[in-house]
């Protein structure tokens, strides 16, 4: 079956007990057992819950993997994946990643004896050079948050295979509609389902998908043992969001293309970072591993923080807020918002300049989005 059909039906057969067409929300913490020491299909909702199982099956299907797991946030999924490792293990991570992931690695997991090296994976040899005897995991995002760099998943997977390290790809920016990292050699896909997968900015959630039985068994053990699971209502909302993922992503693609062209022509803009430009330096990789360029872009406004504040204040359709991937357009200033936990010196070295603005282009009428940006530019 094709993508939209799977998004609506995978894991979501009509309910056996009642015929309910939508997946019921199983508000229960525990399940009756046939007798002491005997277990039915479900025992306790941290371990498994039917609404969550439906979501996990659907997510696996959309990522073209065998196994999915749902978590209470993107960072909960990330934390659980990193718990596959042991004290003394080494991780290579992309240098441009979500600020919260960087903070988790640097300010939390380092304290538990994990070692981290951050490199620019746009050039795969940087990853290769960072490999150590104890390298067990490589973590990348593509496109990256917020600089929209493109990383060649296949090339990095060749390096991870040789090193016998797991390759984890955070696929949040693309969603499974536009990119399936397992197909290009990733071992685990991570999502913040808070974003495109949920799609309506009404929940926080995360997920993992893998094809590897051994990795899945350990992740499933950790999901239960660590306990960062989502409640049944959130699982229902993610499932509801997934049903329209394909049509939403088509519109995000279209709108972001028009907005990026508008920004590229504006004399108020220094540079636009958007993977869909025909002259993108990584256009071959874009073509090979992505089926669209998505709804995210960043741009540098000519001028400093005062100008940015004035610009953002004029906007009526775009909302100044962290997060992304919802139906409504959001705009934010990474240096003071999503990436404030990355030290300024490091931000500047990476290119997260103080005049960088990140946009999550929603699915509103694009004429209104362009008019809103025009209004903002008039004030700067
Ligand atoms: O917020 P949470 O569901 O825990 O997901 C964390 C996360 C993981 N990976 C990527 C690529 C992300 O962008 C995020 C969260 N990002 C934002 C809140 C943001 O505005 O960038």
């Amino acid at each position: 079956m094709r993508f939209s059909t799977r998004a609506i039906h995978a894991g979501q057969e009509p309910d056996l007990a009642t015929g309910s067409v939508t997946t019921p929300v199983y508000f229960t913490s525990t399940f009756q057992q046939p007798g002491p020491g005997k277990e039915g299909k479900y025992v306790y909702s941290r371990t498994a819950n039917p609404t969550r199982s439906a979501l996990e099956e659907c997510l696996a299907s959309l990522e073209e993997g065998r196994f999915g797991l749902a978590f209470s946030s993107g960072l909960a999924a990330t934390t659980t994946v990193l718990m596959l490792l042991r004290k003394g293990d080494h991780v290579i991570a992309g240098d441009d990643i979500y600020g919260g992931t960087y903070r988790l690695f640097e300010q939390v997991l380092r304290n538990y004896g994990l070692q981290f090296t951050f490199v620019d994976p746009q050039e795969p040899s940087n990853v290769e050079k960072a490999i150590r005897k104890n390298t067990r995991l490589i973590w990348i995002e593509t496109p990256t948050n917020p600089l929209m760099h493109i990383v060649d998943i296949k090339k990095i997977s060749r390096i991870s295979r040789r090193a016998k390290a797991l390759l984890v790809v955070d696929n949040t920016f693309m969603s499974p509609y536009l990119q399936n990292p397992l197909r290009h050699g990733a071992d685990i896909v991570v999502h913040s389902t808070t974003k495109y997968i949920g799609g309506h900015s009404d929940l926080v959630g995360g997920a993992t998908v893998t094809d590897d039985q051994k990795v899945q068994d350990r992740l499933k053990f950790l999901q239960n043992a660590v306990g960062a699971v989502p409640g049944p209502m959130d699982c229902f909302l993610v499932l509801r969001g997934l049903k329209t993922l394909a049509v939403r992503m088509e519109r995000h693609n279209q709108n972001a293309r028009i907005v990026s062209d508008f920004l590229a022509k504006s004399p108020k803009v220094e540079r636009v970072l958007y993977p869909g430009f025909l002259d993108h330096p990584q256009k071959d990789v874009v073509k090979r591993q992505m089926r669209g360029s998505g709804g995210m872009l960043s741009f540098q406004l000519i001028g400093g923080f005062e100008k940015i504040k004035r610009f953002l204040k004029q906007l009526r359709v775009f909302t100044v807020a962290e997060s992304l991937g919802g139906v409504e357009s959001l705009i934010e200033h990474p240096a003071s918002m999503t990436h404030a936990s990355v030290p300024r010196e490091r931000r500047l070295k990476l290119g997260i300049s103080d005049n960088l603005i990140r946009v999550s282009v929603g699915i509103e009428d694009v004429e209104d989005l362009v008019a809103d940006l025009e209004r903002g530019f008039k004030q700067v």
Side-chain angles (χ1 to χ4, degrees):
M1 277 191 279
R2 288 160 204 267
F3 190 92
S4 297
T5 312
R6 281 181 280 131
I8 293 165
H9 295 288
Q12 302 166 81
E13 293 299 314
D15 182 46
L16 280 179
T18 63
S20 165
V21 167
T22 52
T23 305
V25 189
Y26 285 88
F27 279 121
T28 185
S29 58
T30 193
F31 299 81
Q32 184 184 36
Q33 296 187 214
K38 290 195 181 134
E39 293 182 355
K41 188 169 177 201
Y42 292 96
V43 176
Y44 184 62
S45 278
R46 171 162 33 73
T47 317
N49 172 285
T51 315
R52 196 175 92 211
S53 300
L55 171 62
E56 292 174 339
E57 195 176 328
C58 188
L59 288 166
S61 169
L62 297 184
E63 271 299 0
E64 303 190 3
R66 289 163 69 201
F67 312 108
L69 291 172
F71 294 89
S72 55
S73 69
L75 281 179
T78 303
T79 302
T80 308
V81 167
L82 269 287
M83 286 185 179
L84 291 169
L85 306 184
R86 287 169 187 275
K87 188 173 164 186
D89 286 348
H90 176 237
V91 176
I92 300 171
D95 55 4
D96 183 43
I97 53 176
Y98 169 54
T101 306
Y102 177 77
R103 180 178 57 197
L104 172 67
F105 291 176
E106 277 296 282
Q107 296 185 39
V108 181
L109 296 175
R110 215 180 253 286
N111 297 336
Y112 291 83
L114 294 183
Q115 302 165 13
F116 293 92
T117 305
F118 297 90
V119 300
D120 180 356
Q122 287 180 105
E123 177 46 61
S125 67
N126 292 336
V127 175
E128 183 126 49
K129 278 184 232 146
I131 296 279
R132 298 181 194 161
K133 268 209 177 83
N134 56 342
T135 303
R136 296 283 175 267
L137 192 146
I138 299 174
W139 182 279
I140 57 168
E141 287 177 10
T142 180
T144 64
N145 182 359
L147 294 172
M148 306 303 299
H149 293 160
I150 301 297
V151 182
D152 188 328
I153 301 170
K154 194 156 264 165
K155 281 197 178 146
I156 305 291
S157 82
R158 286 195 199 116
I159 298 168
S160 70
R161 289 274 135 87
R162 273 202 298 277
K164 294 196 166 48
L166 291 170
L167 173 60
V168 186
V169 177
D170 181 336
N171 200 26
T172 298
F173 266 36
M174 281 285 93
S175 89
Y177 184 68
L178 297 179
Q179 180 170 272
N180 296 119
L182 296 180
R183 243 204 225 168
H184 303 283
D187 298 293
I188 303 174
V189 176
V190 166
H191 279 284
S192 166
T193 55
T194 315
K195 315 298 193 264
Y196 289 104
I197 285 180
H200 297 75
S201 306
D202 52 7
L203 62 97
V204 172
T208 60
V209 179
T210 184
D211 259 341
D212 185 319
Q213 181 81 59
K214 257 169 103 183
V215 168
Q216 172 66 10
D217 289 348
R218 185 67 187 166
L219 281 175
K220 174 93 190 121
F221 167 82
L222 289 167
Q223 182 195 39
N224 181 53
V226 177
V229 293
M233 189 65 205
D234 281 354
C235 293
F236 173 84
L237 287 173
V238 178
L239 275 171
R240 185 163 78 167
L242 272 176
K243 291 178 208 279
T244 56
L245 180 63
V247 286
R248 283 188 286 108
M249 291 316 294
E250 287 293 341
R251 178 71 166 237
H252 282 296
N253 268 337
Q254 261 174 30
N255 281 3
R257 184 168 299 280
I258 294 168
V259 168
S260 64
D261 284 343
F262 164 76
L263 289 169
K265 284 188 204 122
S266 169
K268 306 290 170 83
V269 171
E270 194 176 308
R271 200 155 75 102
V272 185
L273 307 170
Y274 171 65
F277 287 138
L278 294 173
D279 59 351
H280 191 281
Q282 300 266 62
K283 63 176 185 306
D284 294 341
V285 186
V286 169
K287 222 169 135 189
R288 198 161 58 236
Q289 69 187 28
M290 293 154 64
R291 293 184 289 270
S293 23
M296 295 301 296
L297 60 93
S298 297
F299 70 95
Q300 287 168 317
L301 189 75
I302 296 171
F305 193 34
E306 286 310 311
K307 262 197 183 165
I308 286 180
K309 281 195 279 194
R310 238 185 302 143
F311 167 69
L312 294 178
K313 212 169 167 188
Q314 294 306 316
L315 303 178
R316 298 287 171 269
V317 184
F318 284 87
T319 304
V320 178
E322 299 201 7
S323 203
L324 57 113
V327 289
E328 64 288 292
S329 292
L330 301 181
I331 194 160
E332 66 112 8
H333 178 235
S336 65
M337 296 171 67
T338 48
H339 292 69
S341 58
V342 180
R344 184 162 186 269
E345 203 174 299
R346 181 177 167 77
R347 276 202 314 265
L348 293 180
K349 215 172 115 204
L350 291 173
I352 307 174
S353 54
D354 289 338
N355 67 345
L356 188 76
I357 293 175
R358 193 191 72 184
V359 184
S360 171
V361 181
I363 64 170
E364 300 95 335
D365 289 301
V366 73
E367 296 82 356
D368 292 329
L369 299 179
V370 169
D372 204 36
L373 294 170
E374 251 167 358
R375 177 169 38 240
F377 287 148
K378 281 206 184 103
Q379 297 303 313
V380 296

